Amino acid sequence: MNSLHRRDFLTRLTLATAALATPRYGFSNVSRADEFVEVSTTHGRLKGARSEGVTTFKGIPYAGRISGDRRFRRPALLEPWTGVRDALQFGAPAIQPPRRNEPAPAEDCLFLNVWTPASDNRKRPVMFYSHGGGFVGGSGASGGQDGSNLARNFDVVVVETNHRLGLFGFLYLDDIAGPDFAGSGNMGMLDIAAGLKWVHDNIAQFGGDPNNVMIWGESGGGAKTSCLYAMPEAAPYFNKASIESGPGVRMTPKEVAAETTAMLLKELNIAPKDWRKLLDVPAADLLAMQNKLPFVPPFQEKNRNQGMMRRNYGGFGPVVDGVVLPHHPFDPTAPAISQNKPLLVGWNEDEYTFFAWERKDTEFAKLDFESLPKKLEAQYGADAGRIVDTYRKANPNASAPDIFIAVSSITMMGLGSVDIAEKKVKQGGAPVYLYNFGYKSEKKIPGTDYPMGTPHAMDISFKFNNELPPRDGSAPKESFFGGNRPERFVASRHFAELWTTFARMGKPAAKDVPAWPAYNLNTRPTMRIDATCEVIDNRFSQELALWRSLGKL
């Protein structure tokens, strides 16, 4: 990961996320409807589309205008409407490069989507998902995260938001712009909190229980979930959480955010006292400037007295401003505000193969045990040899590329996940459950004979139960990452049932899956999710001992 420039990483991650959003699951912008369904909300009536046992409402506005003089501020009040508003097409995603099969990005992007089995006043669990794409890309309309199958097969209500991203959502102006712009460095997170409040006020009309809401998200969505878990403004509106392949242990200190703001103003030739000129810069120009600014490195290492600094998704992301985000989400401890809220946290076993795929990196597959230490030296220096020795001892049948993938994957997403689990246990409150997703795709990384395994983002279609045989009985199509093997359907069922049961009860469970013990610091149980699931105690014990000794955990 050290050789990957951060700007290139984020651009490619956004493009790869868009690729995953292609309509492989029959996800289109205009619904095919067996019938239309109307519901009342706090601001007016909505018309959604019902098809195959699920009603979908798309493009629901949950807050008001954020363009013009509302840029970098709290949204304007949402204006009520008269009559019935169509909720049949997705709303605009946040400012970013254009997204396939979605409306053009726009500043005014505060829309959400709802999938429900029925608007019948039943109190179903609500699964409120935050999309990935770091803090700079993605939307609540990405195809792999279509909520239809979760709603249909597990009787839950799924909600996904669009919210501000990049500098539109995370430009820190608090030091120079006055009280109207308080919290500016966290507007993207405050948008999500506003979406949660909308759910609290309205979801009963959609068949959901406002008092049983689970927040969850993958990659950047996992980091967003980490922040929500620590935010006073979000706290009243959710009851449990899941952080998936995106452990947000630490976020941007306000001093660093202020430096980024100063850099932006300098690049735009705007004096700090004239910061209001930012309100008149066209959105496209700000996006172009965002892409020119240097990014925070993928990993900011800790010193031993400071605590782990985990992944920071680019130069713009949530800011530890002492108010909206009072402290780092999981440093030095798990947030007291969510002490009594159960938590799931974990990662995919082969996270790094995603990044090899999107970078067209084939060189790692040619590594041998002579070249592997040299490959790791750029990031780990003199410790590279010790790392290789430890991993070879713990995994005697692993090849050199296997070890490179294992090292890269656990340092990207694993160490932060374990850190979060350990801190949650030490808090002595609600339980935390640690997992690894391990279903192996046989698809090869192009240009190599190396299989994808369990790459970053492959879990999305599995946990949304979008790995299913066709409903019409036709032959299954190849999954984007998941490959062709029919076992993927079983793994998807397990993943989705574990998560929906957790949403319902606060404890994950599924048919044909062993009982999943809460994490503890003695046996350290980890659920490995696959077509056959298993609980593994003290998993990666040798590897984690190594990373602790190196001050990485």
Side-chain angles (χ1 to χ4, degrees):
M1 189 67 178
N2 59 294
S3 63
L4 177 59
H5 294 296
R6 191 65 183 152
R7 183 181 299 109
D8 183 56
F9 165 78
L10 288 166
T11 300
R12 290 177 178 271
L13 178 58
T14 299
L15 292 173
T17 303
L20 290 172
T22 55
R24 294 177 176 266
Y25 310 105
F27 205 45
S28 62
N29 202 27
V30 179
S31 293
R32 180 184 72 80
D34 299 327
E35 60 180 308
F36 295 104
V37 177
E38 293 185 11
V39 297
S40 294
T41 72
T42 50
H43 288 78
R45 290 185 65 77
L46 294 167
K47 181 171 73 174
R50 185 162 183 82
S51 178
E52 298 182 326
V54 176
T55 308
T56 305
F57 298 84
K58 299 176 181 177
I60 302 171
Y62 65 88
R65 181 175 56 85
I66 48 175
S67 60
D69 64 346
R70 307 303 300 195
R71 183 183 278 177
F72 312 127
R73 295 176 63 191
R74 299 268 185 160
L77 292 177
L78 180 61
E79 296 291 336
W81 57 88
T82 57
V84 180
R85 179 185 178 117
D86 283 354
L88 305 175
Q89 296 187 352
F90 296 125
I95 293 292
Q96 60 188 290
R99 295 181 59 77
R100 191 177 306 173
N101 298 317
E102 295 187 36
E107 279 198 73
D108 289 315
C109 63
L110 302 188
F111 302 99
L112 58 77
N113 310 310
V114 177
W115 293 262
T116 180
S119 301
D120 56 6
N121 296 314
R122 288 184 57 186
K123 292 187 174 182
R124 296 177 178 84
V126 180
M127 301 182 71
F128 184 101
Y129 188 76
S130 291
H131 65 74
F135 294 109
V136 296
S139 86
S142 296
Q145 63 196 42
D146 180 322
S148 298
N149 286 328
L150 278 185
R152 178 187 300 110
N153 297 334
F154 298 96
D155 199 36
V156 297
V157 177
V158 181
V159 181
E160 301 176 20
T161 67
N162 294 350
H163 41 267
R164 279 174 279 188
L165 299 169
L167 67 82
F168 296 91
F170 301 102
L171 181 65
Y172 180 72
L173 297 170
D174 290 37
D175 292 346
I176 61 176
D180 284 350
F181 291 81
S184 56
N186 286 302
M187 283 298 147
M189 294 307 309
L190 289 169
D191 292 345
I192 303 175
L196 281 166
K197 184 179 186 304
W198 184 95
V199 164
H200 182 268
D201 294 343
N202 292 283
I203 207 65
Q205 302 300 315
F206 297 80
D209 184 354
N211 297 311
N212 189 13
V213 177
M214 169 185 169
I215 57 172
W216 58 315
E218 181 270 347
S219 192
K224 294 167 191 171
T225 302
S226 300
C227 292
L228 293 169
Y229 203 70
M231 282 175 55
E233 193 145 338
Y237 305 124
F238 72 92
N239 310 90
K240 53 189 74 71
S242 176
I243 299 167
E244 302 143 11
S245 295
V249 176
R250 292 179 63 92
M251 291 294 134
T252 306
K254 61 183 180 181
E255 296 79 12
V256 174
E259 292 174 4
T260 303
T261 300
M263 190 180 304
L264 174 69
L265 292 171
K266 183 177 180 180
E267 290 291 329
L268 290 169
N269 199 27
I270 296 174
K273 65 181 178 60
D274 295 326
W275 65 268
R276 281 189 176 274
K277 291 182 179 180
L278 288 170
L279 305 181
D280 298 320
V281 178
D285 293 347
L286 287 178
L287 179 63
M289 186 59 64
Q290 174 180 304
N291 293 333
K292 291 180 180 179
L293 292 177
F295 287 96
V296 176
F299 298 95
Q300 297 183 25
E301 300 296 346
K302 70 174 184 175
N303 66 43
R304 293 181 183 274
N305 298 318
Q306 194 174 27
M308 180 67 72
M309 292 194 68
R310 297 309 310 154
R311 170 184 295 273
N312 186 331
Y313 294 84
F316 295 99
V319 178
V320 183
D321 61 5
V323 180
V324 176
L325 190 57
H327 44 73
H328 293 290
F330 286 92
D331 186 50
T333 62
I337 198 171
S338 290
Q339 179 172 352
N340 296 319
K341 297 179 179 181
L343 181 65
L344 283 169
V345 63
W347 75 100
N348 299 352
E349 289 178 351
D350 307 304
E351 298 274 1
Y352 189 79
T353 58
F354 171 95
F355 303 98
W357 164 77
E358 55 87 24
R359 291 174 58 200
K360 298 181 172 58
D361 174 17
T362 59
E363 292 304 309
F364 83 92
K366 303 173 184 176
L367 290 169
D368 56 28
F369 286 113
E370 181 179 353
S371 57
L372 178 60
K374 298 175 184 176
K375 174 76 170 176
L376 295 175
E377 277 177 7
Q379 185 167 352
Y380 300 107
D383 295 319
R386 182 181 168 197
I387 292 169
V388 172
D389 290 345
T390 299
Y391 269 75
R392 292 191 71 177
K393 181 179 179 181
N395 307 276
N397 296 320
S399 67
D402 292 340
I403 289 178
F404 177 74
I405 294 296
V407 169
S408 301
S409 298
I410 201 169
T411 54
M412 292 176 74
M413 303 295 178
L415 299 183
S417 300
V418 172
D419 193 19
I420 286 173
E422 291 180 348
K423 287 171 176 172
K424 182 67 179 169
V425 169
K426 291 174 183 177
Q427 191 178 49
V432 57
Y433 300 89
L434 184 66
Y435 77 91
N436 296 138
F437 180 43
Y439 177 82
K440 300 301 181 190
S441 171
E442 78 283 5
K443 289 188 71 171
K444 300 295 195 293
I445 297 172
T448 78
D449 289 325
Y450 199 89
M452 295 293 294
T454 317
H456 186 69
M458 192 175 88
D459 56 312
I460 299 173
S461 62
F462 280 74
K463 68 194 177 193
F464 274 91
N465 202 210
N466 287 331
E467 297 287 346
L468 284 173
R471 293 170 63 82
D472 61 6
S474 61
K477 295 180 180 179
E478 184 180 56
S479 170
F480 190 84
F481 275 156
N484 269 318
R485 293 191 296 117
E487 291 87 351
R488 71 185 191 274
F489 305 139
V490 180
S492 179
R493 174 81 191 190
H494 288 158
F495 209 150
E497 187 174 355
L498 287 165
W499 259 239
T500 52
T501 304
F502 180 74
R504 182 169 278 107
M505 307 294 297
K507 178 178 174 59
K511 182 181 178 181
D512 299 324
V513 171
W516 186 347
Y519 195 73
N520 64 76
L521 300 182
N522 296 316
T523 59
R524 300 178 183 271
T526 300
M527 176 65 79
R528 184 180 185 275
I529 300 170
D530 200 337
T532 300
C533 298
E534 61 178 323
V535 175
I536 304 173
D537 288 342
N538 290 307
R539 192 167 198 209
F540 304 122
S541 58
Q542 295 180 60
E543 296 94 325
L544 293 176
L546 165 73
W547 296 118
R548 285 192 179 90
S549 73
L550 296 177
K552 310 293 186 183
L553 177 62

